[in-house]
Amino acid sequence: MIRIALIGIGDYTEDIIKILLKIGNIKLSYIFDANYEKAMLFKNKHYKMNLKATNNLENIANNSDCVIINSLMPTKVDIIKFFLVKKVNVFAIPPISFNFVDLLNLKEIATSNNVFLSDCPFFINSNWFEDAIKLNISNKILKASFYNNSQKRDELLSNRGVFDNKYDYNLGRGVLFANGYGIVYSAIFLFGKVDKIKAIGHKLSNHSVLDFNAIFKHQNNIISTFDVSEQYCSNNKSLIICENNPFYLINYNILEEFNIKYSSRKFTLTIQTNNDIIETFKTYLKNIKNNDRKFFNSLLNISIETIRCLSLIESEIK
């Protein structure tokens, strides 16, 4: 039985618990928050699960096989490092770190201690993309356009100079990581490493990114473009252009389904077989049990390349 602890009480904590409760052969052991009273309130709300509330990381390290870190706390990298050194597997709501070098160091620590580090599987289900490629294996892919600007933000970004968590530079860094991570990760998963990057956009006074447009040239010569903003809405759908059948990626980062719409045909195919998030969690936990380093290294390498590319985008935006 795999013992799992939850670190931080954030936006996805309730959803993660619902998913984990549907998976057999695991034990939810601890809920951690730096504010012990907050952890106790959470524990009491979920009293049927027999969670232990704590603000002591050492207790968790001594009694857990895996931790799920769901927090934007600025000490996130230090906490991840602590658990890796203690030989505890770590899933983290992305980004694992804003810093490319930090991520490389964490990978080295995980490898030397024979444990795994990965984006939390709650974030993305990569099987969708495998199915998409299989369906278009005979087509020559030329380029892809990714959009994440379907929801317009109307509330203030800051209140008297104090930015909310998403736009706080130390916590969220704006849309670059919050809205851009998923689509850049998707492009790298599909098309591999990137040779060249060009980007434009706007930054706030605290240097967080407000919006951006970017273009990637992948090592296989496929071109990816990105349009990310919360300042305006667009109905554009992410699109992969092939020589034969261009197709759209609709709801590609929504966990319930994955739709492929061929531009030359009048139907939409929804792929759902064994691709839900519960199955993805089961796969991750199975690979922990089987000590499948190749599986987790391949995912971590995508995360590392994603952070490298996002950092380059950030440096290009003045």
Side-chain angles (χ1 to χ4, degrees):
M1 180 173 289
I2 296 177
R3 301 166 300 171
I4 299 177
L6 304 175
I7 310 299
I9 300 171
D11 295 338
Y12 296 114
T13 306
E14 296 282 354
D15 295 309
I16 290 172
I17 285 178
K18 289 176 184 177
I19 291 167
L20 292 175
L21 288 176
K22 295 179 181 179
I23 300 173
N25 203 32
I26 65 168
K27 175 179 173 55
L28 286 173
S29 54
Y30 283 91
I31 179 69
F32 169 92
D33 197 274
N35 183 334
Y36 182 70
E37 291 183 0
K38 186 176 179 181
M40 281 297 298
L41 287 173
F42 190 91
K43 171 200 168 183
N44 293 336
K45 179 181 178 181
H46 299 278
Y47 65 92
K48 292 182 180 180
M49 293 187 297
N50 295 318
L51 279 170
K52 295 179 181 178
T54 185
N55 59 358
N56 187 320
L57 295 176
E58 195 75 41
N59 288 342
I60 295 175
N62 292 333
N63 296 281
S64 301
D65 304 302
C66 174
V67 296
I68 297 176
I69 298 179
N70 176 32
S71 176
L72 294 174
M73 49 197 165
T75 58
K76 186 176 183 178
V77 170
D78 293 331
I79 290 174
I80 292 172
K81 181 179 178 180
F82 170 84
F83 282 114
L84 294 178
V85 169
K86 294 288 185 178
K87 301 184 184 300
V88 178
N89 300 290
V90 176
F91 294 150
I93 296 295
I96 294 172
S97 170
F98 295 125
N99 188 288
F100 172 66
V101 175
D102 280 349
L103 201 45
L104 289 176
N105 290 336
L106 290 174
K107 179 184 178 181
E108 184 176 338
I109 294 169
T111 300
S112 63
N113 286 281
N114 197 34
V115 288
F116 304 121
L117 170 64
S118 175
D119 288 327
C120 183
F122 181 71
F123 165 66
I124 196 164
N125 186 341
S126 57
N127 290 335
W128 294 329
F129 305 113
E130 293 176 7
D131 289 330
I133 291 298
K134 288 175 184 176
L135 287 171
N136 290 270
I137 197 72
S138 61
N139 295 312
K140 182 180 179 182
I141 297 175
L142 302 175
K143 66 168 290 187
S145 297
F146 293 88
Y147 298 89
N148 195 345
N149 48 25
S150 59
Q151 295 182 339
K152 187 174 186 294
R153 179 189 176 105
D154 293 320
E155 63 265 29
L156 294 174
L157 302 178
S158 69
N159 183 10
R160 297 181 180 179
V162 178
F163 291 85
D164 66 19
N165 286 350
K166 185 172 186 177
Y167 286 89
D168 182 290
Y169 188 76
N170 293 318
L171 294 177
R173 296 206 184 179
V175 302
L176 179 65
F177 289 90
N179 301 52
Y181 188 95
I183 57 177
V184 171
Y185 184 105
S186 303
I188 293 167
F189 183 95
L190 284 167
F191 311 127
K193 290 187 175 183
V194 177
D195 270 344
K196 296 180 181 179
I197 293 176
K198 291 293 181 182
I200 57 173
H202 298 90
K203 285 183 177 177
L204 300 171
S205 60
N206 68 344
H207 306 296
S208 290
V209 173
L210 179 65
D211 54 39
F212 73 90
N213 292 84
I215 181 168
F216 290 1
K217 176 184 171 292
H218 296 267
Q219 290 180 355
N220 56 10
N221 291 322
I222 291 174
I223 301 297
S224 297
T225 62
F226 306 87
D227 184 351
V228 179
S229 177
E230 288 186 329
Q231 308 313 305
Y232 64 90
C233 281
S234 168
N235 292 322
N236 291 329
K237 302 298 182 184
S238 295
L239 170 69
I240 294 178
I241 298 176
C242 309
E243 285 191 356
N244 298 328
N245 284 319
F247 62 90
Y248 297 96
L249 302 181
I250 304 172
N251 295 335
Y252 62 90
N253 61 348
I254 303 301
L255 297 175
E256 285 76 17
E257 66 180 18
F258 179 67
N259 297 328
I260 296 176
K261 181 179 179 182
Y262 291 89
S263 61
S264 58
R265 306 177 193 176
K266 295 182 179 180
F267 70 88
T268 298
L269 173 66
T270 301
I271 302 171
Q272 291 178 309
T273 306
N274 294 323
N275 282 350
D276 62 26
I277 190 59
I278 295 172
E279 291 300 320
T280 303
F281 252 107
K282 286 181 179 178
T283 299
Y284 275 52
L285 296 176
K286 178 183 177 182
N287 286 319
I288 284 180
K289 187 176 180 180
N290 294 338
N291 198 32
D292 190 343
R293 182 162 302 284
K294 181 179 178 182
F295 173 82
F296 284 104
N297 279 346
S298 65
L299 294 176
L300 185 56
N301 287 337
I302 296 172
S303 301
I304 290 171
E305 178 69 356
T306 300
I307 294 299
R308 185 184 74 85
C309 292
L310 290 172
S311 299
L312 289 172
I313 290 173
E314 185 178 40
S315 67
E316 287 240 328
I317 300 172
K318 307 302 181 185

